[in-house]
Amino acid sequence: MADLKLTNIKKVYNNQVEVMRDINLDIKQGEFIVFVGPSGCGKSTLLRMISGLESISGGTLEIDGQLVNDIPPAMRGIAMVFQSYALYPHMSVYDNMAFSLQIAKVSKADIDQQVRKAADMLQLTEYLDRLPKALSGGQRQRVAIGRAIVRKPKVFLFDEPLSNLDAALRVATRMEIANLKESMPESTMVYVTHDQVEAMTLADRIVLLSAGNIEQVGPPLELYANPRNVFVAKFIGSPAMNIIPAKITQTGGITGVQIVAQQHVSVPLNTPDKDHDALVSFGVRPEDLFVVTEGDYLVEGNIAFIESLGEATLLYVKVPNCDDMVIGKLSGTTEFKRGDQVKLMTVPEKMHLFDTTGLTYRNAI
């Protein structure tokens, strides 16, 4: 198993279209790293550069301390699991998993040992004699993962492996991948997904990408609790964080922030040196809002839409002079209906403040 080191990695198409720029990332042996981001952000391109399926336009890529920029994929010590299972339909599960070892002239005894060990790990032992057409989608994906395991690679690469599965199978297979990582603690794994639930539940660290740049790297809950900018704040979490226009003010010698749409609400700041009257953005997650009937409140408005999910209720509140509706996520069911006026409040430690460039004011509130 191996470390990965990406230094100033770039990808340029046709000598003019730069799709990845100055990517710097250290991945330690045994880490489960998830690349996540919106469509077109470059996550699959970055994974393919690691695998050798895409050339590197600039920078260096090291696997286990070895420079591999110009080394072909087969010589990099990696195994890749794709969105498409790409199984040989005429071969049994056993033969699909054994094929790469047969090509490498591994002895039959070693092949049998490695295939059966991987099958046991993935709960495929009873299916070894079946053809792929006799398997479910989740089972086929497990065969594709098993085919990668038997090669004993330095690094496992997963390119959206659950995208073709239905919701129930996605959950089940996600749990199996998590269990696989637990059973192979020294294995280095890099996983690409557009699904933030997969990212949050599987990753040791998330690499959040946008437009060819890394926006933030860190443990899932670090990105959730301490986003470095508005993009991260809105991408991590569902529903997305509410971002509300605000400005910094000073009253009675105390610097605070007022929400522009609701001038009477003021939250004190810990940093009194900020420019007064500067326009900023105020952020709070839907699940951190609660309804109040008296006393201080953050925003007030009329409910425009309600989503009742059983375990939670989403209130979409139209706040005067605010372009986007504020979403409140309340536990359980409620008696609210469209048109009702509500006041929403939160606690100071759940509030976020962003400057005009979208960066977080650290420890401001």
Side-chain angles (χ1 to χ4, degrees), residues 81 85 87-88 91-98 118 122 124 127-128 130-132 135-150 176:
V81 179
Y85 320 127
L87 302 179
Y88 297 109
M91 291 184 180
S92 67
V93 168
Y94 184 101
D95 290 334
N96 265 282
M97 293 172 65
L122 296 167
L124 289 171
Y127 307 109
L128 286 175
R130 295 190 187 183
L131 294 177
L135 303 177
S136 69
Q139 290 165 342
R140 293 178 197 177
Q141 192 57 277
R142 277 187 275 158
V143 175
I145 294 170
R147 185 173 54 189
I149 290 173
V150 299
E176 288 168 358

Side-chain angles (χ1 to χ4, degrees), residues 156-224:
F156 288 90
L157 305 179
F158 297 86
D159 191 4
E160 303 207 43
L162 308 186
S163 294
N164 289 337
L165 306 181
D166 61 36
L169 275 177
R170 284 176 74 96
V171 174
T173 310
R174 186 169 73 231
M175 292 173 62
E176 288 168 358
I177 291 175
N179 291 334
L180 173 66
K181 182 63 181 74
E182 286 292 320
S183 65
M184 304 173 67
E186 295 185 357
S187 299
T188 305
M189 299 184 179
V190 182
Y191 188 104
V192 163
T193 182
H194 65 276
D195 186 333
Q196 62 163 286
V197 174
E198 286 178 30
M200 294 291 288
T201 55
L202 290 174
D204 293 324
R205 286 191 298 154
I206 288 175
V207 178
L208 180 52
L209 294 151
S210 172
N213 295 301
I214 293 178
E215 294 290 344
Q216 189 169 348
V217 180
L221 294 181
E222 173 69 20
L223 271 67
Y224 175 85

Side-chain angles (χ1 to χ4, degrees), residues 275-349:
D275 294 334
H276 301 155
D277 297 322
L279 293 177
V280 292
S281 296
F282 195 83
V284 60
R285 295 198 178 279
E287 56 269 31
D288 292 329
L289 287 169
F290 52 87
V291 174
V292 294
T293 56
E294 57 184 23
D296 293 335
Y297 58 92
L298 194 63
V299 292
E300 180 183 25
N302 294 99
I303 299 174
F305 185 66
I306 298 176
E307 289 184 334
S308 297
L309 308 177
E311 83 283 0
T313 300
L314 302 183
L315 303 182
Y316 293 75
V317 179
K318 180 60 179 175
V319 176
N321 303 315
C322 191
D323 292 337
D324 297 322
M325 282 188 284
V326 174
I327 303 174
K329 185 176 182 179
L330 312 180
S331 61
T333 58
T334 73
E335 299 298 325
F336 291 110
K337 59 183 183 296
R338 286 190 183 190
D340 285 351
Q341 189 173 54
V342 293
K343 297 177 181 179
L344 298 174
M345 187 55 177
T346 189
V347 293
E349 56 267 27

Side-chain angles (χ1 to χ4, degrees), residues 4 6 9-11 13 19-20 35 42-57 61 63 68-69 71-74 76 78 80-84 157-160 190-192 209:
L4 278 173
L6 290 73
I9 292 289
K10 296 181 181 180
K11 180 63 181 178
Y13 289 113
V19 295
M20 303 297 298
F35 294 166
K43 53 188 182 294
S44 289
T45 299
L46 185 56
L47 194 77
R48 290 171 65 85
M49 285 195 285
I50 293 172
S51 71
L53 298 177
E54 288 277 1
S55 62
I56 296 173
S57 305
L61 170 64
I63 298 179
V68 298
N69 285 44
I71 292 179
R76 294 191 180 192
I78 57 96
M80 194 161 180
V81 179
F82 295 92
Q83 179 177 345
S84 172
L157 305 179
F158 297 86
D159 191 4
E160 303 207 43
V190 182
Y191 188 104
V192 163
L209 294 151

